[in-house]
Amino acid sequence: MRIDASATAITWLPFDALDRINVIPLELAVAHYHEPPPGLGPDLDDLRQRDALREANELRAWIEVDGGEIVDYGQTGRSLIGEGPELEAQQVAFAAVELPVIQPEPQIGGGWVRFTQTVGGRIGLPAPKPVVGRPYFHVGAVSAWTTVELLMRADGTTETRLVAASPFPRHSLYAADRRLVDVFGAAEFELGEGTPWGDEGTPAFAAAVESELERRLAASILRDGAKLVRRRVARGEMLVEQGQTGHDLFVLLDGVFDVEIDGEVVAQVGSGAILGERAVLGDGRRTATLRAVRSSRVAVIGSDEISRPNLVEISASRTR
């Protein structure tokens, strides 16, 4: 006899979490809240399509029972990353980046099998963090991830646990019967630090993010066959200057830039930001100066490599 079961975790942002986000200058979109996911049987694809979740972890597993003994087992699973809030054309966007699903070998005991799965990535949600001693904020990409565990027994009973999760206001956990088990959350959500894929500052993590960014951008913005060109920007060097013309789009792969308007630093942006879209779609003039706070790396997408209809469509989707 085959027994199927599942464990699901949904990461989302409640309304009251926005009260703890300080107001920042410029039109740097931070977040929009979500309605709480349903108490029974959430349709993950529908929630993602409606931008009603930030991340979801769906683990599915099965066991084959014969004579009261488990004779076979297996698991599948998937990760869903929200695309992020709808933005105006002049706001800074952060690309969602889905990292590889982690599925350790199941643990087997007397009459039971324990399955575990970790999913997550950068979720397309920028968040502010005060800069010590400065009257402005650092805006960077947020990483969200969850690790769920599903215990299946030969008698057909199951247990579901949220083993670990990133600091984020809400993670909803659903059991094998698709009912809500519990809701977990941190007092604050944080910019990415350590993750199950390694520290965000390590080359391995950066390489994984770059690879996924390139895949996503190639599918949505780049012309067929175009590749991302990397560029190193030294500390203190300007990437773009306010008022100058320019038609390149930039993705900040690693590093930090000061955002200067009329000679005054009004904010910082961190890794994952997509920059330059307004100039590409508008009159070609840069609306701010971007200066590297430390040695940084960007991907440069030249105007001749941009599929303009796709870029227009992406921008329009942020104003609907």
Side-chain angles (χ1 to χ4, degrees):
M1 178 180 66
R2 174 171 166 143
I3 302 173
D4 293 274
S6 66
T8 303
I10 297 176
T11 298
W12 54 285
L13 188 66
F15 178 78
D16 61 3
L18 299 183
D19 294 336
R20 298 191 292 273
I21 298 176
N22 294 303
V23 177
I24 60 177
L26 294 179
E27 291 178 321
L28 295 176
V30 176
H32 67 81
Y33 72 93
H34 306 111
E35 295 296 333
L40 177 65
D43 184 330
L44 297 183
D45 294 306
D46 176 64
L47 291 178
R48 184 184 188 187
Q49 185 176 9
R50 293 190 289 109
D51 196 24
L53 57 75
R54 293 274 61 84
E55 175 263 337
N57 182 351
E58 184 180 46
L59 165 63
R60 294 187 175 275
W62 57 271
I63 57 174
E64 191 75 31
V65 180
D66 186 8
E69 299 290 331
I70 298 175
V71 296
D72 200 4
Y73 57 87
Q75 74 179 100
T76 60
R78 62 172 177 159
S79 168
L80 291 88
I81 299 293
E83 296 295 336
E86 296 178 351
L87 309 180
E88 302 295 333
Q90 65 268 33
Q91 294 175 321
V92 175
F94 282 72
V97 178
E98 184 176 314
L99 292 170
V101 175
I102 299 175
Q103 284 186 347
E105 282 295 317
Q107 295 178 301
I108 308 170
W112 57 265
V113 182
R114 180 181 289 113
F115 304 92
T116 306
Q117 176 172 283
T118 299
V119 309
R122 287 184 175 166
I123 58 175
L125 170 67
K129 183 177 183 180
V131 179
V132 177
R134 303 290 184 180
Y136 52 81
F137 291 80
H138 173 94
V139 182
V142 174
S143 290
W145 54 270
T146 54
T147 300
V148 297
E149 178 183 282
L150 175 62
L151 179 69
M152 299 184 66
R153 299 187 183 92
D155 63 5
T157 60
T158 64
E159 290 183 21
T160 304
R161 287 201 311 137
L162 184 68
V163 179
S166 57
F168 203 88
R170 295 294 184 273
H171 302 285
S172 293
L173 179 67
Y174 294 83
D177 61 1
R178 303 173 67 209
R179 293 184 180 276
L180 180 66
V181 176
D182 206 346
V183 179
F184 307 86
E188 304 285 346
F189 62 99
E190 300 177 2
L191 302 181
E193 295 291 346
T195 76
W197 298 267
D199 187 90
E200 291 213 4
T202 62
F205 186 91
V209 170
E210 277 189 43
S211 176
E212 180 62 13
L213 271 173
E214 184 161 2
R215 185 191 68 79
R216 294 179 67 87
L217 289 172
S220 60
I221 296 177
L222 297 183
R223 296 185 186 278
D224 291 341
K227 299 293 184 181
L228 294 183
V229 176
R230 275 74 170 177
R231 173 182 162 189
R232 177 73 65 178
V233 184
R235 178 182 179 182
E237 181 183 352
M238 288 188 299
L239 177 65
V240 300
E241 185 174 3
Q242 182 181 358
Q244 288 190 341
T245 58
H247 299 283
D248 291 339
L249 195 68
F250 302 97
V251 181
L252 180 50
L253 300 173
D254 177 52
V256 178
F257 282 100
D258 277 341
V259 180
E260 302 175 8
I261 294 183
D262 299 330
E264 179 183 356
V265 178
V266 296
Q268 286 183 346
V269 289
S271 299
I274 300 175
L275 306 166
E277 176 187 320
R278 188 179 185 189
V280 172
L281 292 175
D283 63 3
R285 293 187 180 277
R286 302 299 186 185
T287 58
T289 295
L290 297 175
R291 191 184 305 273
V293 176
R294 60 178 174 83
S295 180
S296 303
R297 288 185 309 116
V298 299
V300 184
I301 306 175
S303 58
D304 58 339
E305 297 175 333
I306 297 173
S307 176
R308 190 176 182 86
N310 287 346
L311 186 58
V312 170
E313 182 179 345
I314 290 171
S315 179
S317 72
R318 296 179 183 144
T319 60
R320 283 198 292 264

